[in-house]
Amino acid sequence: MPDITLSQSALEHAASANADDVALHTLQIDHPDFTAPLYLVNNHASVTATLETAEEAEFVAFAFDFRLPDLEQAQSPDLEIAIDNVSREILYYIDLASQSQSLATITYRLYLASDLTEPQNSPPLVLTVLGVSADVFRVRITAGFSNFANLRFPREDYTAARFPGLVAA
């Protein structure tokens, strides 16, 4: 089943296997205790790309392995990431997040090297970090969708201030 979040140019790139254009897989790691999000790109050089919010972000080059979640499987889909040769900066972020009760999130975006003006998957895939393990050589991160069973329904508050048509005149 095709991924409906991919843009037409990303689908054409996948179908043609265009060797002149490179798919850039990016991760944005957020946590309430971070002073700024951590932006990574699976590339040999750092890139500056435009986010879906029209802001520009500098994605730092890091080699990482990842497996996107299989959205058709029966259990909750998980994103698995492994980062080798982790720098002290990333270890600092991991230590900071591990000392907090707050959850970190990972945003996956796909860019084409020929078009860094917007992500090729819209909306980007936003997942909650479920587990992290680290050693001297590698950091492994598992991220998945948040626990939908514990979310309130409806998620939006229908108040008279926001929806005046709900109140009899």
Side-chain angles (χ1 to χ4, degrees):
M1 171 177 250
D3 187 350
I4 61 171
T5 65
L6 292 178
S7 69
Q8 185 62 33
S9 57
L11 291 172
E12 289 173 6
H13 177 269
S16 66
N18 185 353
D20 296 332
D21 203 5
V22 177
L24 300 174
H25 303 280
T26 65
L27 300 174
Q28 173 184 341
I29 304 173
D30 285 308
H31 190 273
D33 293 341
F34 294 175
T35 56
L38 185 61
Y39 294 101
L40 306 176
V41 60
N42 195 0
N43 195 25
H44 64 278
S46 298
V47 297
T48 301
T50 306
L51 305 177
E52 63 281 356
T53 59
E55 299 174 64
E56 284 192 345
E58 176 74 24
F59 289 90
V60 179
F62 265 97
F64 57 84
D65 295 328
F66 70 100
R67 183 186 57 78
L68 288 173
D70 181 7
L71 299 178
E72 295 178 6
Q73 65 185 2
Q75 66 266 20
S76 175
D78 293 336
L79 171 69
E80 296 175 3
I81 304 163
I83 305 172
D84 290 330
N85 300 324
V86 178
S87 70
R88 288 183 185 169
E89 179 183 351
I90 291 180
L91 283 177
Y92 169 76
Y93 278 102
I94 291 171
D95 288 341
L96 190 64
S98 67
Q99 296 170 7
S100 171
Q101 294 295 321
S102 301
L103 297 175
T105 59
I106 293 182
T107 305
Y108 168 77
R109 294 179 184 91
L110 172 68
Y111 290 93
L112 296 178
S114 63
D115 182 13
L116 296 173
T117 60
E118 64 181 348
Q120 298 299 314
N121 60 329
S122 182
L125 184 62
V126 180
L127 302 168
T128 302
V129 173
L130 303 174
V132 177
S133 63
D135 59 29
V136 179
F137 303 108
R138 177 173 270 209
V139 172
R140 295 178 196 275
I141 302 170
T142 303
F145 294 107
S146 59
N147 186 351
F148 293 112
N150 290 331
L151 295 177
R152 74 183 167 91
F153 180 83
R155 293 186 67 184
E156 188 170 0
D157 288 331
Y158 291 92
T159 61
R162 291 190 55 222
F163 300 96
L166 293 175
V167 180

